[in-house]
Amino acid sequence: MSYKIIFNLKSLFDLRKNPKILFKFIFLSFILSIIIYFITPREFVSRASVLPSQSDSNNLSAMASLASQFGYNMNQSNNPLTDPNVIKEIAKNDNVSSKILNHIFTSKAGESKEIFYYLYPNKDLNNPLDFESGKKHLNRKVINVYQDIESSIIHFKVTTASPDLSYEICKLVFKDTIAKINSLNSSNNSQKLSFLRERNDLLKLDLSQKQDALKEFQEKNISSKSPALQLEISKLITEIEIIKNIYMVLRGEEETLAVEVNNNNNGIFLINEPYLPIGRSYPKTRNLIFIFLFLNLSFIALHIFRNSRIIEIIDD
């Protein structure tokens, strides 16, 4: 035994004969759409965008390869702090989240309190569980940091129920992220500068020793015209020139890093500053239209179903 539903599509055309029911459906859909539209929580979005610079991985590669053959490591590497994925992780760093939730924000009404209480009014900032829960929610629902599909541009997006609060959090996450990158970048440059200074001192000493060895070798064999001795002298001179070139390159890099240690130019270019949202981002008028159409389709489906019938099929 089985059952079959026979949908009565003809009932749709019958609605034309009874326009009151049709207008009732439309009016009810409109009223429900308006109610849903106005009870839906408002969302205001503030955004910012940055473009990390792309390091040249081939920079000084030939000189680095040559230096390695003589036992000198130029410690050449790309700056990982400008990698888009690293920037996203820094923006959602635990310290950044804590600073944001503890930041004192003054609303338009003149009320000053921690951002934590604006986002989670029923929770306690001093409760470790509530605070950890707040940080997780902040990074999952409030702050969204993502990379553009077609480029390396990083977008910061902050969504709250208040335009001023969204703007304030967007400024904080943007500022704290850049400050963290500057701090790490400065620390990294300081370590690299220290390494280069040590390397340059060793190169300078090695260069001086080889120059002294060449001078001594030439003085001992000043009267000799032997091809083998001339070849040995040529090799020593070539090695000294190579070490001298490596020293000059590393010396130039050392001078550059000495300037960059205290330089906040971290290779991140500002595309769009955080801005105060003027209008709400959600719901919009198109959402109201979608709800209205959805409810009308739902009423049509319900009307068809009510006028359909289920028949029992008896198997032989």
Side-chain angles (χ1 to χ4, degrees), residues 204-221:
K204 189 175 181 181
L205 178 62
D206 192 23
L207 181 61
S208 177
Q209 290 175 346
K210 280 184 168 41
Q211 287 175 333
D212 291 341
L214 175 61
K215 182 180 178 182
E216 183 180 350
F217 187 80
Q218 287 176 324
E219 288 176 350
K220 287 182 179 180
N221 301 279

Side-chain angles (χ1 to χ4, degrees), residues 127-254:
N127 185 322
L129 293 178
D130 287 348
F131 191 66
E132 287 299 319
S133 174
K135 286 192 293 185
K136 289 181 180 179
H137 181 270
L138 181 74
N139 289 323
R140 289 177 182 174
K141 301 296 184 180
V142 179
I143 299 173
N144 184 19
V145 183
Y146 59 96
Q147 183 178 351
D148 192 81
I149 297 176
E150 299 178 351
S151 67
S152 298
I153 295 177
I154 300 296
H155 300 281
F156 297 80
K157 176 184 174 184
V158 176
T159 306
T160 70
S162 164
D164 296 291
L165 185 59
S166 294
Y167 176 53
E168 186 70 18
I169 295 176
C170 192
K171 286 193 300 181
L172 288 172
V173 68
F174 181 79
K175 181 186 72 174
D176 290 341
T177 299
I178 299 302
K180 186 67 175 177
I181 292 173
N182 283 338
S183 175
L184 293 172
N185 198 50
S186 178
S187 176
N188 180 57
N189 285 337
S190 296
Q191 293 177 7
K192 191 174 182 180
L193 179 61
S194 177
F195 170 83
L196 284 174
R197 283 173 175 168
E198 291 177 3
R199 265 307 179 199
N200 283 335
D201 290 341
L202 292 174
L203 277 172
K204 189 175 181 181
L205 178 62
D206 192 23
L207 181 61
S208 177
Q209 290 175 346
K210 280 184 168 41
Q211 287 175 333
D212 291 341
L214 175 61
K215 182 180 178 182
E216 183 180 350
F217 187 80
Q218 287 176 324
E219 288 176 350
K220 287 182 179 180
N221 301 279
I222 192 171
S223 59
S224 175
K225 300 297 182 181
S226 169
L229 290 175
Q230 293 300 320
L231 180 60
E232 188 64 29
I233 290 174
S234 178
K235 287 182 178 180
L236 287 173
I237 292 174
T238 301
E239 187 175 347
I240 288 172
E241 287 300 318
I242 291 173
I243 295 175
K244 188 184 296 183
N245 288 334
I246 296 172
Y247 174 76
M248 294 301 295
V249 171
L250 290 180
R251 181 65 179 167
E253 192 173 350
E254 178 187 336

Side-chain angles (χ1 to χ4, degrees), residues 5-12 14-15 21 25 299-310:
I5 300 176
I6 300 177
F7 293 102
N8 185 9
L9 298 179
K10 184 177 176 294
S11 61
L12 289 177
D14 295 339
L15 287 175
I21 297 178
F25 281 166
F299 282 133
I300 290 173
L302 181 62
H303 177 75
I304 294 174
F305 186 77
R306 287 186 60 186
N307 289 275
S308 299
R309 54 197 183 89
I310 302 174

Side-chain angles (χ1 to χ4, degrees), residues 90-148:
I90 292 176
K92 295 189 175 185
N93 180 273
D94 187 75
N95 291 332
V96 173
S97 302
S98 298
K99 284 183 180 180
I100 292 172
L101 292 179
N102 283 293
H103 180 76
I104 303 296
F105 172 67
T106 303
S107 65
K108 282 187 175 181
E111 183 182 14
S112 295
K113 58 184 178 181
E114 290 85 352
I115 288 178
F116 178 90
Y117 289 114
Y118 285 101
L119 296 174
Y120 320 110
N122 298 322
K123 294 187 177 181
D124 184 8
L125 176 63
N126 298 315
N127 185 322
L129 293 178
D130 287 348
F131 191 66
E132 287 299 319
S133 174
K135 286 192 293 185
K136 289 181 180 179
H137 181 270
L138 181 74
N139 289 323
R140 289 177 182 174
K141 301 296 184 180
V142 179
I143 299 173
N144 184 19
V145 183
Y146 59 96
Q147 183 178 351
D148 192 81

Side-chain angles (χ1 to χ4, degrees), residues 274-297:
Y275 64 88
L276 178 66
I278 299 175
R280 62 175 178 266
S281 301
Y282 182 85
K284 292 183 175 292
T285 306
R286 63 173 177 266
N287 301 115
L288 174 62
I289 296 173
F290 174 79
I291 295 170
F292 176 71
L293 293 175
F294 175 78
L295 289 175
N296 274 289
L297 291 174

